[in-house]
Amino acid sequence: MRLIEEKFIKLGADNAPGQEVRQNITAIHLRGEKINGIPVDFSHGDVDAFEPIPGSLEHFIDGYHIGGKQAYTEYRGSKNIRQDVAQKLSKFTGSVIDENQNLIITPGTQGALFLAMGSIIARGDKVSIVEPDYFANRKLVEFFDGEIVPIKMDYLNTKTSSGLDLTQLEEAFKNGVKLFLFSNPNNPTGVIYSKEEIRQIAELAQNYGAQVIVDELYSRQIFDGRSYTHLCGENMMDPENLITIIGPSKTESLSGYRLGVAFGSSQIIDRMEKLQAIVSLRASGYSQAVLASWFSEPEGWMSQRIQAHQAIRDDLLGKFNSAEGFTVRATEGGSYIFPKVPELDVTIGEFTKILRLQADVTVTPGTEFGPQFTDSFRINFSQNHAAAIDAIDRIIKVVDLYRK
Amino acid sequence: MRLIEEKFIKLGADNAPGQEVRQNITAIHLRGEKINGIPVDFSHGDVDAFEPIPGSLEHFIDGYHIGGKQAYTEYRGSKNIRQDVAQKLSKFTGSVIDENQNLIITPGTQGALFLAMGSIIARGDKVSIVEPDYFANRKLVEFFDGEIVPIKMDYLNTKTSSGLDLTQLEEAFKNGVKLFLFSNPNNPTGVIYSKEEIRQIAELAQNYGAQVIVDELYSRQIFDGRSYTHLCGENMMDPENLITIIGPSKTESLSGYRLGVAFGSSQIIDRMEKLQAIVSLRASGYSQAVLASWFSEPEGWMSQRIQAHQAIRDDLLGKFNSAEGFTVRATEGGSYIFPKVPELDVTIGEFTKILRLQADVTVTPGTEFGPQFTDSFRINFSQNHAAAIDAIDRIIKVVDLYRK
């Protein structure tokens, strides 16, 4: 088999959120009748239920009318917009961000993650990722021919921390891991790393001279008034070894514009821009103008949005906790719940296909987040509140039909 | 030096079009006074001089109002939009395009090129590119650890073809080259490949089982009523070995939306979508809606635009032809002129920096298009007509100051 074919077999995207429509589902036999209800796609947030920041479209239109200057920005993004965003993110994270050296605007946070990984990982490099964590992390390491050294997060057996195995992380650094990548809040569990954990990660990275990428995509949506620790704000590791990723695609619902930001190490940001030059040149110039609405939402808009999500979370957790055999940790930040299901006599991949066919509910199988999560699935609860509750009832019914 | 550092040294983007603002230019000594005039940036087209297709912004706004369905399309793009685009491109190129199997919408044509190259090239694969050709082609092969086998195009010594060395191309295929990439019309020379050349390329690729990527970004802007041959329309090679790239960023001035399209081989398109899933997920969903205006321009709009560009071309060629020591081939398609300058006593890289400082004119040095083009530069003449003519006068004056 050619090398390139092997590479793409690992890159399978059939179960990736939003791609379910391309699955071959002819061979599935259903037990019982179809369970009717409003279709809910828990694979990503519903920007009809939670609309984009007010005024975002007007900023886009303004960008269009600026014309050529806005259409052709530097690859790292328009200088004025970088300046505005750098100021807002400095304030938010408590770190120093120079808009000329330390920040790049990208096509979505996925774009930021790809560019950061591609700027750090060379063939054969050892990279640590968390299990469970965002499904693309693993694929990115594989695409760049790195070697994955997974770090376990025992998220179900603690409530005061993420449960990351810091001993394993130190062992990994000792054995030559040069890059650690993690999302905080964690995707798919919604767990927040404790201040102590963040500081220990920083200390370990500093002691072993390792680089760190933190994906803080959901860091503005924190529940129950919890405190959140930005690694970059702790000033415990060489800032040239750290990249933070964030963007307005989630809580702020600006996903349709494809905008993300990476900030930190000037050397890595320089490389990311060089890579951007051959990947897609720049984030859409007109879309960049939409960043003016980010961190400048109308008074009270963000806190209302967080409260609305917290209310959905509470109702959904209530459902799972009162159903038989589910184990679930309460989401601390972000819009994900990652329930562990009772033992089924179909695989989790089959279960998600059945669920779509039988109950019009789309979830993402746990195995996308680590090979061992054969008994979990992820839902994004940024949905119409009533429809989401009803869909959870349907999930529980389907689980009952396929219990062992 | 770490492997990743070596890789990024090759990826230098300082002279990339639009990035000149990041150059260090403190060490340059100018001969004579500043030559005043309206600043002209010939590194890319001016979308203020040639505005986007009428109605493009309205399509974007419609896309926004569609909401979640438009924000979260399949990674390869919205099915409805793919259907519309596939029909238009089938008609334009004379080839069969199934919107479910053979087409992907990407963030710009740069995005399409990156995904196509990343889906075909594995470490060590031999890849042929043309010299001169688009600057990113070389960088992409290097980024994916391929081995470049350049094919010469003797564009100055013929007027009836591109001058591509087909003997060298066959030799390359014999020696194991598995992919040939070229732009038609050629960037930076504006040369169109003859029907005979296109058919010979197809025949050679078919005989040696090679894959081909054709970048047809400028194929709608053809001058003097010339005929243009789409390789995909000749049906001479296995369609599973062929990818064609095109987009509305140039003649149509939709660059600010970041939209491109690749079509052809279903296997390669599948891989491109898997890669898109980790690179940037999808082209901006709202932007995708703008493709409705593409190939659906108001009656007469495209022919007027082509005529306006042809008129600028004629005036600029006239200037270069009457100046002493310039050699230039007339542009046949697209918006580029690639003049060969008289012998200077500064390098072409220094010359382009001097030109910016002394005359407020930005051009791209020939060495971006192949290491041997040390005596040429590229201009994109999609500019304000009068300002462009005046800027050429300034270029000729600066050349006179630095002649050997």
Side-chain angles (χ1 to χ4, degrees):
Chain A
M1 193 185 289
R2 284 185 62 197
L3 201 58
I4 193 79
E5 288 169 26
E6 289 174 31
K7 197 160 188 166
F8 276 85
I9 285 170
K10 291 187 197 161
L11 264 191
D14 269 13
N15 288 308
Q19 291 301 101
E20 298 81 3
V21 65
R22 300 196 74 82
Q23 287 171 353
N24 180 354
I25 45 166
T26 46
I28 289 172
H29 170 75
L30 299 183
R31 294 181 198 163
E33 300 293 298
K34 182 147 184 182
I35 307 167
N36 292 316
I38 300 166
V40 174
D41 183 351
F42 284 118
S43 74
H44 58 75
D46 179 356
V47 303
D48 296 335
F50 289 99
E51 293 189 353
I53 300 171
S56 71
L57 182 60
E58 287 66 27
H59 285 292
F60 185 94
I61 295 169
D62 290 347
Y64 175 87
H65 288 301
I66 290 172
K69 203 183 143 191
Q70 191 67 42
Y72 285 90
T73 70
E74 284 177 65
Y75 297 150
R76 60 177 69 198
S78 149
K79 186 177 163 65
N80 293 344
I81 295 168
R82 276 187 279 125
Q83 191 166 29
D84 176 48
V85 170
Q87 276 170 5
K88 294 171 185 173
L89 290 175
S90 283
K91 195 177 158 198
F92 177 61
T93 62
S95 67
V96 179
I97 307 169
D98 174 334
E99 75 269 14
N100 289 316
Q101 305 300 326
N102 304 123
L103 187 139
I104 184 169
I105 299 169
T106 57
T109 36
Q110 183 66 50
L113 193 56
F114 180 83
L115 296 176
M117 300 284 272
S119 298
I120 294 176
I121 304 170
R123 175 167 21 104
D125 283 356
K126 289 182 181 172
V127 178
S128 274
I129 59 171
V130 178
E131 288 183 345
D133 209 331
Y134 179 48
F135 67 92
N137 295 1
R138 166 178 302 273
K139 291 175 184 173
L140 282 164
V141 180
E142 283 169 347
F143 183 74
F144 291 117
D145 297 319
E147 186 192 321
I148 294 170
V149 180
I151 310 295
K152 277 183 193 147
M153 197 181 82
D154 192 9
Y155 60 98
L156 284 175
N157 290 311
T158 166
K159 281 185 174 178
T160 55
S161 69
S162 75
L164 185 77
D165 189 334
L166 287 158
T167 312
Q168 208 179 16
L169 181 62
E170 176 154 22
E171 206 57 36
F173 286 149
K174 264 188 199 157
N175 291 326
V177 162
K178 284 288 169 211
L179 170 65
F180 176 53
L181 162 66
F182 71 107
S183 61
N184 182 24
N186 174 264
N187 174 352
T189 63
V191 159
I192 295 177
Y193 288 77
S194 69
K195 190 178 192 73
E196 191 49 35
E197 284 178 315
I198 291 295
R199 293 179 66 87
Q200 284 189 50
I201 290 168
E203 194 180 329
L204 288 174
Q206 182 63 16
N207 288 347
Y208 291 93
Q211 293 173 307
V212 177
I213 301 174
V214 197
D215 175 353
E216 298 195 347
L217 185 50
Y218 267 115
S219 58
R220 296 186 75 194
Q221 186 172 301
I222 305 299
F223 300 130
D224 313 309
R226 285 170 187 274
S227 68
Y228 176 92
T229 310
H230 297 279
L231 199 157
C232 60
E234 294 298 302
N235 297 315
M236 286 181 62
M237 63 175 284
D238 180 354
E240 279 298 306
N241 278 338
L242 178 60
I243 288 288
T244 305
I245 286 169
I246 187 167
S249 287
K250 299 295 183 183
T251 316
E252 303 88 339
S253 297
L254 301 186
S255 13
Y257 298 102
R258 295 274 76 216
L259 286 165
V261 169
F263 64 91
S265 164
S266 62
Q267 189 197 27
I268 299 171
I269 297 286
D270 275 350
R271 287 190 195 155
M272 289 173 72
E273 181 174 47
K274 288 178 180 175
L275 189 48
Q276 178 112 298
I278 62 166
V279 171
S280 63
L281 295 183
R282 60 179 73 77
S284 152
Y286 305 149
S287 285
Q288 289 178 37
V290 173
L291 288 170
S293 63
W294 192 35
F295 283 94
S296 303
E297 298 84 7
E299 186 73 29
W301 186 87
M302 273 297 284
S303 58
Q304 241 182 355
R305 177 146 290 198
I306 294 166
Q307 278 164 32
H309 281 92
Q310 192 170 310
I312 300 173
R313 177 201 68 167
D314 290 344
D315 286 347
L316 269 48
L317 286 175
K319 291 274 177 193
F320 284 124
N321 284 328
S322 46
E324 204 195 311
F326 284 86
T327 314
V328 58
R329 177 162 168 181
T331 311
E332 297 164 356
S335 296
Y336 298 118
I337 299 180
F338 195 56
K340 192 171 159 179
V341 296
E343 215 176 345
L344 304 177
D345 53 16
V346 292
T347 68
I348 196 72
E350 286 164 343
F351 172 75
T352 61
K353 288 176 188 173
I354 290 165
L355 192 61
R356 273 187 68 220
L357 286 174
Q358 193 155 9
D360 271 333
V361 177
T362 304
V363 301
T364 305
T367 44
E368 288 287 303
F369 308 95
Q372 66 272 53
F373 301 100
T374 54
D375 54 2
S376 301
F377 60 80
R378 187 192 75 174
I379 65 171
N380 181 321
F381 59 79
S382 187
Q383 308 288 344
N384 176 286
H385 195 142
I389 291 177
D390 189 66
I392 300 297
D393 284 335
R394 304 210 296 284
I395 291 176
I396 293 166
K397 279 183 193 161
V398 175
V399 163
D400 282 339
L401 288 171
Y402 295 85
R403 268 179 206 271
K404 213 166 206 168
Chain B
M1 194 186 289
R2 284 184 63 194
L3 202 57
I4 193 79
E5 289 170 24
E6 288 174 31
K7 197 160 188 167
F8 275 85
I9 284 170
K10 291 187 196 160
L11 264 191
D14 269 12
N15 288 308
Q19 290 302 98
E20 298 80 5
V21 66
R22 299 196 74 82
Q23 288 171 354
N24 180 354
I25 45 167
T26 47
I28 290 172
H29 171 75
L30 300 182
R31 293 180 198 164
E33 300 292 297
K34 181 147 186 185
I35 307 167
N36 293 315
I38 299 166
V40 174
D41 183 352
F42 284 118
S43 73
H44 58 74
D46 179 357
V47 303
D48 296 334
F50 288 99
E51 292 188 353
I53 299 170
S56 70
L57 182 60
E58 287 66 28
H59 284 293
F60 184 94
I61 294 168
D62 289 348
Y64 175 88
H65 289 301
I66 290 172
K69 204 183 143 191
Q70 191 66 43
Y72 284 89
T73 69
E74 284 176 67
Y75 297 150
R76 62 176 67 200
S78 149
K79 186 177 163 65
N80 293 343
I81 295 168
R82 277 186 280 126
Q83 191 166 29
D84 175 49
V85 170
Q87 276 170 7
K88 295 171 183 174
L89 289 176
S90 283
K91 196 175 157 199
F92 177 62
T93 62
S95 68
V96 179
I97 307 169
D98 175 333
E99 74 270 14
N100 288 317
Q101 306 299 326
N102 304 125
L103 188 139
I104 183 168
I105 299 169
T106 57
T109 38
Q110 184 66 50
L113 193 56
F114 180 83
L115 296 176
M117 301 284 274
S119 298
I120 294 175
I121 305 170
R123 177 165 21 105
D125 283 356
K126 290 181 181 172
V127 178
S128 275
I129 59 171
V130 177
E131 290 184 344
D133 209 331
Y134 179 47
F135 67 91
N137 295 1
R138 167 178 301 273
K139 292 176 184 174
L140 282 163
V141 180
E142 283 169 348
F143 184 75
F144 291 117
D145 297 319
E147 183 191 323
I148 294 170
V149 180
I151 310 296
K152 278 185 191 144
M153 197 181 83
D154 192 9
Y155 60 98
L156 284 175
N157 291 309
T158 167
K159 281 185 174 176
T160 55
S161 69
S162 74
L164 186 77
D165 190 335
L166 287 158
T167 312
Q168 207 180 17
L169 181 62
E170 176 154 22
E171 206 56 37
F173 285 148
K174 264 188 199 156
N175 290 327
V177 163
K178 284 288 168 213
L179 170 65
F180 177 52
L181 161 67
F182 71 107
S183 60
N184 183 24
N186 174 262
N187 174 354
T189 64
V191 160
I192 295 177
Y193 288 77
S194 69
K195 190 178 192 73
E196 190 50 35
E197 283 178 317
I198 290 296
R199 293 178 66 87
Q200 285 189 50
I201 290 168
E203 196 180 329
L204 287 174
Q206 182 63 17
N207 289 347
Y208 290 93
Q211 293 173 307
V212 178
I213 301 175
V214 198
D215 174 353
E216 299 195 346
L217 184 51
Y218 266 114
S219 59
R220 296 186 75 195
Q221 186 172 301
I222 306 298
F223 300 130
D224 313 309
R226 283 170 188 274
S227 68
Y228 176 93
T229 310
H230 296 278
L231 199 158
C232 60
E234 294 299 302
N235 296 315
M236 287 180 63
M237 62 175 285
D238 181 354
E240 278 298 308
N241 278 336
L242 179 59
I243 288 287
T244 306
I245 286 169
I246 187 167
S249 288
K250 299 295 184 183
T251 315
E252 303 88 341
S253 297
L254 301 186
S255 12
Y257 297 104
R258 295 274 77 216
L259 286 165
V261 169
F263 63 91
S265 164
S266 63
Q267 188 196 28
I268 299 172
I269 297 286
D270 276 350
R271 287 191 196 155
M272 288 173 71
E273 181 174 47
K274 287 178 181 175
L275 189 48
Q276 179 112 295
I278 61 166
V279 171
S280 62
L281 296 182
R282 60 180 71 77
S284 151
Y286 305 148
S287 285
Q288 289 178 37
V290 173
L291 289 170
S293 63
W294 192 36
F295 283 93
S296 303
E297 298 84 7
E299 185 75 27
W301 186 88
M302 272 299 282
S303 58
Q304 241 182 356
R305 176 146 292 199
I306 294 166
Q307 278 164 31
H309 281 93
Q310 191 170 310
I312 301 174
R313 176 201 68 168
D314 290 344
D315 285 346
L316 269 48
L317 287 174
K319 290 276 178 192
F320 284 124
N321 284 328
S322 46
E324 205 194 308
F326 284 85
T327 314
V328 58
R329 178 163 168 181
T331 312
E332 297 164 357
S335 297
Y336 298 119
I337 299 179
F338 194 57
K340 191 171 158 180
V341 296
E343 214 176 343
L344 305 177
D345 52 18
V346 291
T347 68
I348 196 72
E350 287 164 342
F351 172 75
T352 60
K353 287 176 188 172
I354 289 165
L355 192 60
R356 273 187 71 220
L357 285 175
Q358 193 155 9
D360 271 332
V361 177
T362 304
V363 301
T364 305
T367 43
E368 288 287 302
F369 308 94
Q372 67 272 52
F373 301 101
T374 54
D375 53 3
S376 301
F377 59 82
R378 186 193 75 174
I379 65 172
N380 181 321
F381 60 78
S382 187
Q383 308 289 342
N384 175 287
H385 194 143
I389 291 178
D390 188 66
I392 300 297
D393 284 335
R394 304 211 295 283
I395 291 177
I396 293 168
K397 279 182 194 162
V398 174
V399 163
D400 282 340
L401 288 171
Y402 295 85
R403 269 177 205 272
K404 211 163 206 171

